[in-house]
Every structure is written in structure tokens, then in C-alpha cells.
Amino acid sequence: MKWSEFFVTGEPLIYAADVAIVLTIIGIVFVLTYFKKWKWLWDEWLTTVDHKKIGIMYIICAVLMLFRGGVDALLMRAQLTAPNMKFLDAQHYNEIFTTHGTIMILFMAMPFIIGLMNVVVPLQIGARDVAYPYLNALSFWLFFFGAMLFNISFVIGGSPDAGWTAYFPLASNEFSPGVGNNYYAVALQISGIGTLMTGINFLVTILKMRAPGMTLMRMPMFTWTVLITCVIIIFAFPVLTVALALMTFDRLFDTQFFTMANGGMSMLWANLFWIWGHPEVYIVILPSFGIFSEIVSTFARKRLFGYKAMVGSIVGIAFLSFIVWVHHFFTMGAGPAVNSFFSITTMAIAIPTGVKVFNWLFTLRKGKIRFTTAMLWALAFIPNFVIGGVTGVMLAMAAADYQYHNSYFLIAHFHYVLIAGTVFACFAGLHYWYPKMFGHLLNERLGKWTFWLFMIGFNVCFFPMYFLGLMGMTRRMYTYSAGLGWTPLNVVATIGAALMGIGFIVLCYNIYYSARYGERDMTGDPWDGRTLEWATASPPAHYNFPITPEVTDLDAYWVMKKNGNGLEVKEEQLKPIHMPSNSGRPFLISIAFFFAGFGLVFKWFTLAIIAAIFIILGLILRSFDDDDGYYISVDEIKRTERLARKGA
Amino acid sequence: MAEAAHRYDETMPLEYRTEESRLNILGFWIFLGAEVALFATLFATYLVLFQRTGSGPTAKDLFEVKDVLIETLLLLTSSFTCGLAIFEMRRNRLSGLLTWLLVTLLLGAGFITFEIREFIHYVHEGATMQTSAFLSSFFVLVGTHGAHVSLGIGWMILIIIQLLQRGFTPRTARKVFIVSLYWHFLDVVWIFIFTLVYLTGMVI
Amino acid sequence: MKQEKQRGRKWFAWLPLSLLLLLSGCSENIAVLNPKGPVAKVQYDLIMWSIGFMLLIIAVVFVLFAVVLIRYREKPENADYEPPDEEGNTLLEIVWTAIPIIIVTVLAIPTVKATFALEKPQRHDVEPLTIHVTAANWKWIFSYPDQHIETVNYVNIPEDVPVKFKLTSVGPMNSFWVPELGGQKYAMDGMETQLILQADQPGSYMGRSANFSGKQFTHMEFEVVAQKKEDFEKWVKEVQQTAPKLTKDKYAEILKPGLVGRMTFSNTHLEWVDHAKQNSHHMNNGEHSDHHGNMENDHHEH
């Protein structure tokens, strides 16, 4: 590789991005140095094993990635506003839709959900932390450096450009030379390992660390969905690991898995990708269902309707998610029998999902509905998701799918389920749990502005796409000619995208505004909540609960409040609390992963091997580490708790 | 209320006594579940590709019965000796544990040596990872297993050092137990490789 | 204030539905909803059948949603109201499990029927015409094996005759889609897939690749011209007599990545290569084999 190819050149947009990146880094370094925050950064964040802080870091990264993926989206919409636009060329457009898809799914939706999981699940089940706090930190930093590795591709070496699905043979060396798709293979691998470990961690946490009395059928719905999601992660992510490894071998060592010669089989990639890819969709949607369930129940002041059916339906959806992958390529000619089978399994997913929708509606019925921002997001989810869902059923009908496949109809459908499902859930969860994370509320007025701008923008942007698809517009086209009659709807879509962008800006302003002027949450329970996370202070002390709560029913905290015994701290009951120690090793090991990945991307194997040695060294040090954590004394707990209650 | 992470239970075997150990062992079982998914995917890939030999040799042309039989014997025996090591641990005999762990480790190293020899042999015959889809999937499937075994050897060495330093503690006992789970798992995977790859390959 | 928002929500909830009705009313522009052949018609009927049920579901959910939000929102009058503790209702839950099952069933049956039906010609009294379609970066090559002619980026077909398109690709996957005549299928390297289409009336129908295949993928358009039988036969004769011969060199040039215009030849490349055969790529494209050879050398140097 020549040095002139090392940095991406030639595009004014790229140079602007270069300057922006350098300025941002200088800015961050300056601020940290000027305010003497380096030690704080290291002690409080980089070495932390506290699930709440790790969750917050996940969410911060997810919001940054939402910005990056959103800018990609706006660039695409700008290019498609009018026929024959010259704003982006074909190559640039191809790179942008590839990074948009990859980032939004893997570096935005997933970490946002995992971030909320991290903050909320241990609190909801009354635990001190997750089962493996050290591993949790490692998961986060692997995700983080995987995401960073993926993101530098657009200034160093070039972005991947074969679509987020990276179908072979297009993604092979022959048709995608350059390092772009190496970035894809390696960066996703690194963050994927982190995700797999998260899956194991939370599965054990939920199975083993629930507060006394919390049987499985007394778990909050969000915890239930996370539990099932972990099972999906554990069985789906190894498939991605293998698929990416084979891709890496094909690209770096010229093996013949997916090539066109010597027996390689490109269809194998499509199968492996979607055997992971479809469950992946449920990995981001099931916890979203959980978030909506919590919020709907809280702001309707009612117990979740049909709790058992809700649990049953998520289990059903999880099971079905593994036997529908072929619907992503009915058009591959697998034969009518195979297509029919996968049509029916896919349509069957509508049954448990329908059950859930009606259960939410009946939770609202006879309730007393408060329209907070979080609730607005949860409510808007229902009609929008139903539109996405029914068009999903239409896509599931193989014979009809031949007409929708890879068209804007499909684009509209999956944005309706992923945005109205997952993104609305992320925003809902963010507004709902924000006081728990930071101790102050997000401003409701600004929150409602965000909601209406984004929600209306979303519909204006994506609803016309159903029709563009039926008109014959296919996905991933970088331009179209004037005579096709596609222009008006494309203009409308672009206006919608702009509204969503404005909504995002209002959200960012809200975060700033609320940090300065937002209402402080002194009670720890600003929404009159039902589950245990509201039973502790906002933000909770790092040990979460001074005294482990005892659970007697579903909606544990609600029942406690009704019976008049909240969790007042009786100081004579306090006992020393055991906590895990911080460690910088997860951070450092992940940096080594970053360099190993970078070496692989550029085939600089010496660098990769040196970095790998550091990784192994980190593992050995961990093996010999017999730090058992430490105890927080009763006196310190008393002091912390008195301080937290003073405001109340 | 007892502290979760340090709930100590005298009635359990040494490796299960602390809450932390119980969590770790459960977590490792789940990790093995993920490993099953990983190897299942590799097997599926192999089965899809194994007749797609392009211009390269077929499985029948290539496989050497003798090397494979020796490898199988070594690995199966090592699984047995690993079981003996756990048996000794339950009887609280450190020297017995160490001896059997060492034997396991040597057998594992023997397995790896023969596997490397086998691979070198194939490469000399012109059958490399780049030759055909069949060989790519063969080398990656069997090689992934081999890499797991190598990792297991390195891991066992670390545990032996810790046993020598610290003797029996709930922590070292748990580590021995987990590495033994891992080792038996690799043995099971090998049985599948032996039947699905080698035996099938030599027949079809 | 609250009241107003309420009305806003309700109005908004109805927006998508009314849009759908509005737009499906003026559908001349919408290719998929304007079938010009029996295959597209089968799919159109299926789509319309499903849209009916989907609109019904949307209507039920939206009405329920609006009613519940309006009736049970918090307002000054119900300040003292405390919602009841209800766990669920088995009967209701059975009902809303059963109804989706019924809907899925009534959708699944015609889906399966249509999926099988589309694999066969829609009429059996006429001998189908076979055309081999080869997708290459970034053009479509059509070979008529029985007529011994070949065209690039356009294809003429006779009306009312089922056409068996045998699809393959030199390189990345593409998808062969002519929305007015029927749904698509992938064209893949070293593989052959079959798509049967038929046009009811003479006309020009837009076709394009629906599966991303690299830089100029957007421009992988082609025109399907359906002609009266006599016109088609006349055209075939004319091509056979006047069009130039396709040589191996010329063909190699066409295959090079890039865009080309329309072309017509009086023989087909099937005479010397069929890309649908496994490994045809390797054997017939000297350029690429060299390429592979070099890479292996590169690898050894590492």
C-alpha cells in the first residue's frame, strides 16, 4: 500500500471531515488538560466496571453514531431529492449507504439497547452489578474500539462499499479491492465478540442475581425481553463470527469460500449473513418491546395486560426468528416448496406480535394515561409499528415479494419497523430513564418538540417510499432519470428526513439545556414507577441498593408503595457491601484489539502479531489477578444514603 | 443478608463453594453453548462445500488414515486423563491432579504435533487453503479446533503454575474444573470432525 | 392545550391510511399495480388480496388506539380515578391470537398457490420462448439460443408467449426485474435461475437490476419490447441477416466493467461459453485466472 492511498483524498467533504476530526481531538485534549480532567477520566470512566457508567458510555457512543449514520442518511436524501443530481458520485454514494446501514444497526441500535440494558437490568432485578463486571467493561471497550475502527475507514484507507449485507462475489477482492471491506470484516468481528460476551453476562445476571422473591414470572417485562434477547445473541452471534472470519480469510488469505472460482459459493455468504441477520433484528426489537411495556404500564398507571401472554409471545418470536432467514432472498430461486415454508414461518411471526399489540392497547384501556415525552414515543410506536408490521407480512408472501424485493417498498418497511420499533424505544427509554442515569429530567417541552418533529418527519420521509418501491425504484440507486415520475415523492421524503434531522438537533439541545436548567430528581421516583429501579436514588450510589429489596409480586416497587413500605433505609440493617475493583485492563486490551484489527485491515501482519501478543499478555495478567474486590463499610453507606436523602 | 459474591457453601465440591465460582461455571457452560453454535456453523459450511473441490483434490484423494487415527487416539485419551485429574481434585490430592493435568497437556501437545504434520503433508501435496472451497472449509474447520486445543494447552499451563503457587483454593479448583469442561468439549467436537470430515470423506 | 394535541394525534393516526387510499386510487404511475402480463397479474391479485386484510388490521388497531387514548387520558375530571388491577383476560387473548392465525392462513394459502404457479408458464398451449440472460458489470446480455441472435441492454419478445428467461451472471449478483411483467429473480455467477414472464400486449416495459452490483449498478437498465408475433419474427429475421457477428474479442470487450449502449448480433456467446456452469468464470477468463495467480504469489511473499 502506498502512503498516498493511506489517506482518503479527493473529496471536499472528506477534507472537511478530516479538519473536523482533528479539531475535535485537539478540543477534547485541550478541555481535559485545561480542566485537569485526565485522572478523572481514567478513574471514573475508562477503568470503571460499574454497569451504570458502562451503560451511559454505550448510550453516548450510540448517540454519536446516530449522528454519523444520520449525516449519511441526509447526504443520501440530498442526492436523491431531484433526478440526475451531481451532489454525490456513484462511488461515494455506495460507501455512504454501506456505512449508514452498518453503523445504524451495529453501532447505533445495538449499543443504544445494550446501554439501556446495562443501566436498567441490574437495578430492575435488585442486583449490585452484573455477573461479570470486568467482562462487561471488556464488552463495552471492544464494541467501542470496533466502532472506532469502522469509523476511521472513511478518512484512512476508504470506506466499505458493498452494502451493509456485503454480498459476495461483490465483496470479494476481485470486485472490491482496497481495504474498505476489510474494515467491515474486522471491525464487526471485534465489536461482535463484545456483544457475545454481553449476551452471556446478562443471561447469567438475570438467571442468578435476582433479588430474593423475584421469580421468573415476577420479572419486569424489560428484563424478560433482555433475557430472551441474550439467548438469541448467544446462538446468533457465533454465526456472524464465523461468517466474518470466512470473509476475512477470503479477503486476506485468498481462500475460496465465497469466490467465483474453485468451488466457492457466494450464496453461502447470504445464508450465513441472514442466519445471523434475522435474529439480529429481533435482538434490537425485543428489548424495545420491553421498554414500551414498562413505559405504557407506568404512564397508564396499570399493570401490564396479559403478562404471561407477553412472555409467551417473546419466546415464540425468538424461536421463529431462527427459521425465517430465507425470506431475505426468496428471489434466489430456492424453489417454491422452500419459499412457501419460509413464507409461512415468517407470516407466523405476525401472530405473537399481534398478541403483543393488543395487550398494549388493553393495558392502556381503563388506565389513566399521562402524555409524557417517554409515553408519546411509546404510544407513537403502536400505529407506526403496525404499518411496518403489516407491510412485513406482505413482504413475507413469497410470490408477491418478487415484486417488492430490494425495492423502496422494502426500504420503507424495515425503516418502519426499525425506527418505529427500535429508535422510538431508544428515545422513549432515554427520556424515561434519564433521571435515573443523571439525576435530572430531560425538559418535557423540548422533548415534545423532538418527538413531533421526528415522528412527523419519519412518516413524511418513509411513507412515500412504499409507493416509490411499487413504482419500480430499487434500493441503492444513486440517481434516477427525470422521466420516471419519481421526483415528487423523493422531494417529500427528503423534507421528512430534514425534519428528523431537526428533531435530533432539538434532542441534543435538550440534553445540554436540561443539564444546566433541568428539574433535579430528588425522590428517585419521578414517574411514580412500578419496578425496582425507581426504589433507589437518582442516580443510584455505585452499590445500587443499600439493602437488597425483597420482592413479593410483579411490579415490585408499586406493591411496596401501595403497602406503604418503600425502601426506607433502616440504618441498623446495613451491612458492608462487596464491590468489584476497577480495572484499566479491559480498556488496554481493547486498544490492542484495535491495533490488531488495523494491522489485519492493511495486511500489516507484524503490527497485528505484536498487538495480539499484548492481548494474550492481558489475558495472562487477568488469569493471575486475584483481586477479590473490596468492601464498602457501613459508615460509608450511611454517609452516602444520608447525603442522597437530604434533598428529598 | 449474606453477601452475594462471597456466599460460601461448605457442602459443595471445592470448585462450587463461592458464589463467584458458581456464576463463572454457569457462564462457561453458556459460553460452550455459543461454541456449539460456532462449530455447528463451521460444520454446515464444510458440508455445503466439501464436494466443491474445483480443480483440487477430493477428500478421498487426500486424507491420511494413519495420522488421523493417532490424533484421535491421543485426544480421546487426553480427555480421559483430564477426567482423572478432576477425580484426583475431588480426592483433594494435588500431586495426582498435577500429574494427570501434565499427562493431558502432553497428549494434547502430541495431538497438535500430529495435526500440524498432517497439514504440512497436505500442503506439500499441493492442497492448500487456497486450492478449493472444500480445502478452505476443511482447513478452517479443523484448524479452528486445533487453535482451540492450542489455546487450551496454554491455559492449562497457566493453571498448573497457579496450582503450584497457591495449591487448592476455591479459585484454582474452579479454574481446573472450567478448563476440564473446555477440554471435554473439544474432545466432543473432535468426534464430530472425525466422523463427519474424515470417515465420511474417506468413504464418499 | 392537551385537547389540541389529542386531536393532532388522532388526525395524524389517520394520515397514512388516507394517503394509501388516495395513492392507490391514482395508480397509473405505479408499475407493480399495473400488470401488463399474466405473471404480474397473479402477483397483483395476491398483493391486492393482502392489502385488503392489512387495511382491515390497520383500521381495527387505529380505531381501538384512538378510542382508548381519548377515553382514558388523564384529565381534571378523573383526577381521583385509580385504574383497576387487571391481569389479563383469557378469552380476549384467545380471540386476538385466533384472528391473526386465521388471517395468516387465508394469506398463506394463495401465497403458496401463487408461488408454485409462477414456476410454470401461465399458458400451456404455446411453446415458450427461451432467452438466456447474462448480467455483467454493468449491462444485460440477452441470447436467443434457438434464433441464434444476441442483444445487449434490450430484449424483444413476442406478445402472449411465455418467455423462459434463464438467468446467470458474470460477477456480482444482480436481480432481473421488469415490474410491469412480473417479479424478479437473481442472476448469479456459475448458476442458472429461471424466471418465466409473459406480456399481454405490445409495448415497452422498463427493466432494471434490483440487486446492488457495484459502482454503476444504477445504470443497469434495459428495455423489454413486446411485439406482435409477426413483428417479432420479422425483427428476428432482420437481425439474423443484417447484424454483425459477435466475436470472442468483441465479447470480452463487452464484459469489461463499464457501461455500453444497445447492441445486436447475429450469433450468441453461448457457442463458446455458458456462464451458468460452475467454474466457467475461471476457465474462460484468462485475465481473472492470472489475477488469482498473482494474488497467490503476493500471499507467499508475506
Side-chain angles (χ1 to χ4, degrees), chain A residues 194-249:
Chain A
T195 307
L196 180 59
M197 298 192 310
T198 300
I200 297 173
N201 206 342
F202 277 80
L203 184 60
V204 176
T205 304
I206 296 172
L207 287 179
K208 284 288 175 189
M209 299 181 68
R210 299 191 307 276
M214 186 181 278
T215 56
L216 283 177
M217 291 315 270
R218 284 180 192 161
M219 290 198 311
M221 190 45 64
F222 179 60
T223 300
W224 251 116
T225 55
V226 171
L227 175 75
I228 300 299
T229 301
C230 289
V231 176
I232 304 183
I233 289 178
I234 288 160
F235 289 105
F237 264 76
V239 182
L240 178 71
T241 305
V242 171
L244 290 173
L246 303 187
M247 177 192 247
T248 311
F249 273 102

Side-chain angles (χ1 to χ4, degrees), chain A residues 220-299:
Chain A
M221 190 45 64
F222 179 60
T223 300
W224 251 116
T225 55
V226 171
L227 175 75
I228 300 299
T229 301
C230 289
V231 176
I232 304 183
I233 289 178
I234 288 160
F235 289 105
F237 264 76
V239 182
L240 178 71
T241 305
V242 171
L244 290 173
L246 303 187
M247 177 192 247
T248 311
F249 273 102
D250 259 17
R251 292 191 56 86
L252 298 186
F253 308 116
D254 301 305
T255 52
Q256 311 283 353
F257 288 104
F258 312 122
T259 55
M260 303 199 301
N262 295 313
M265 195 186 201
S266 51
M267 286 186 298
L268 180 61
W269 166 266
N271 278 279
L272 292 178
F273 183 85
W274 287 114
I275 289 174
W276 161 78
H278 201 85
E280 162 70 14
V281 182
Y282 291 92
I283 292 171
V284 295
I285 206 71
L286 286 184
S288 307
F289 288 172
I291 293 169
F292 292 130
S293 299
E294 301 290 347
I295 291 173
V296 164
S297 160
T298 300
F299 294 112

Side-chain angles (χ1 to χ4, degrees), chain A residues 136-204:
Chain A
N136 200 24
L138 188 59
S139 287
F140 168 72
W141 289 111
L142 283 177
F143 148 72
F144 176 80
F145 283 106
M148 288 303 109
L149 187 62
F150 188 84
N151 273 279
I152 60 165
S153 68
F154 90 109
V155 287
I156 296 174
S159 297
D161 59 355
W164 89 279
T165 49
Y167 272 17
F168 278 84
L170 180 61
S172 66
N173 279 327
E174 188 171 345
F175 298 102
S176 302
V179 297
N181 275 287
N182 297 355
Y183 271 115
Y184 175 94
V186 177
L188 264 56
Q189 187 72 283
I190 292 174
S191 63
I193 296 168
T195 307
L196 180 59
M197 298 192 310
T198 300
I200 297 173
N201 206 342
F202 277 80
L203 184 60
V204 176

Side-chain angles (χ1 to χ4, degrees), chain C residues 201-218:
Chain C
Q201 45 192 287
S204 157
Y205 309 111
M206 180 200 71
R208 65 170 63 252
S209 172
N211 194 62
F212 179 60
S213 56
K215 200 165 178 187
Q216 299 296 341
F217 144 81
T218 302

Side-chain angles (χ1 to χ4, degrees), chain C residues 88-109:
Chain C
N89 183 320
T90 316
L91 181 69
L92 277 173
E93 287 174 56
I94 289 172
V95 168
W96 62 59
T97 315
I99 292 175
I101 291 177
I102 294 168
I103 292 178
V104 164
T105 313
V106 297
L107 291 177
I109 292 167

Side-chain angles (χ1 to χ4, degrees), chain B residues 77-145:
Chain B
T77 317
S78 81
S79 201
F80 178 65
T81 55
C82 187
L84 290 180
I86 296 300
F87 179 70
E88 291 292 325
M89 182 171 85
R90 291 272 158 81
R91 297 207 307 175
N92 228 347
R93 285 178 43 173
L94 187 60
S95 60
L97 169 64
L98 283 169
T99 316
W100 287 119
L101 274 186
L102 210 65
V103 173
T104 307
L105 203 142
L106 290 175
L107 289 168
F111 168 83
I112 288 296
T113 317
F114 272 92
E115 185 161 74
I116 290 172
R117 245 181 56 145
E118 184 199 341
F119 280 10
I120 290 173
H121 175 73
Y122 295 155
V123 170
H124 277 296
E125 285 190 10
T128 67
M129 224 161 131
Q130 289 78 21
T131 310
S132 68
F134 153 62
L135 285 167
S136 300
S137 59
F138 166 78
F139 278 110
V140 168
L141 167 60
V142 181
T144 304
H145 176 266

